[in-house]
Amino acid sequence: MKTRIMVFGTFDMIHAGHEDFFTQARALAPDPVLVVSVARDIVAQRIKGQAPRSREDVRLQKVSEHPLVDEAVLGNSMGYIEHIKKAMPDIIALGYDQHGEFVDRLGSDLRDAGISAQIVRLKAFKPETYKTSKLVQ
């Protein structure tokens, strides 16, 4: 049986850190379907304090073409539970550096919505090198 694993990010560029993120997420189950949620421009701006370098449709297209990604979807511009409910993940894999408004209350929001997805925190992969903000300087 396939296990749906969902990850989230802006993905302004796809670098080795993202590829490791996708690989770690896929390794959580023997027969994974990796669903990658690409942040809306307005959400990325709000969370990171600056606009993404590329528009959401361009970022979505690049992610959807990546060989480790089975499905790429755009996130919601407000909230996230309906978006997660629609994707029906068995596992939500969070990056080592993902914190803030959505992550802090994710477990309780999932329970309140009747979603039983397991939440897993993935390990960092050379964060001193592979972080978009450092690579674009």
Side-chain angles (χ1 to χ4, degrees):
M1 187 170 106
K2 296 201 177 278
T3 302
R4 295 180 61 80
I5 302 165
M6 190 170 196
V7 299
F8 303 82
T10 302
F11 307 106
D12 237 339
M13 61 186 332
I14 299 176
H15 52 67
H18 290 131
E19 291 182 343
D20 183 75
F21 179 54
F22 296 159
T23 300
Q24 282 188 60
R26 294 184 71 83
L28 295 172
D31 197 6
V33 173
L34 183 61
V35 180
V36 179
S37 175
V38 177
R40 295 282 184 158
D41 291 343
I42 193 167
V43 173
Q45 165 92 40
R46 188 172 71 239
I47 290 173
K48 294 186 175 198
Q50 63 186 29
R53 295 170 60 89
S54 302
R55 292 187 334 256
E56 60 192 38
D57 60 321
V58 173
R59 294 181 288 113
L60 178 68
Q61 182 65 37
K62 286 181 181 174
V63 169
S64 70
E65 292 169 353
H66 196 281
L68 292 171
V69 175
D70 296 300
E71 296 175 29
V73 296
L74 274 177
N76 285 8
S77 48
M78 295 298 292
Y80 60 97
I81 289 297
E82 290 305 315
H83 173 61
I84 293 171
K85 195 179 281 191
K86 186 174 178 184
M88 299 184 321
D90 299 295
I91 300 170
I92 293 175
L94 299 173
Y96 75 96
D97 62 344
Q98 291 181 310
H99 304 282
E101 62 181 279
F102 298 127
V103 177
D104 294 344
R105 62 178 193 260
L106 181 59
S108 61
D109 286 351
L110 291 175
R111 278 190 300 281
D112 292 349
I115 300 169
S116 60
Q118 175 187 3
I119 301 171
V120 176
R121 179 73 69 173
L122 300 177
K123 293 177 176 39
F125 175 76
K126 301 182 183 177
E128 68 286 352
T129 303
Y130 295 112
K131 192 144 179 74
T132 302
S133 59
K134 293 180 180 186
L135 292 170
V136 296
Q137 290 177 349

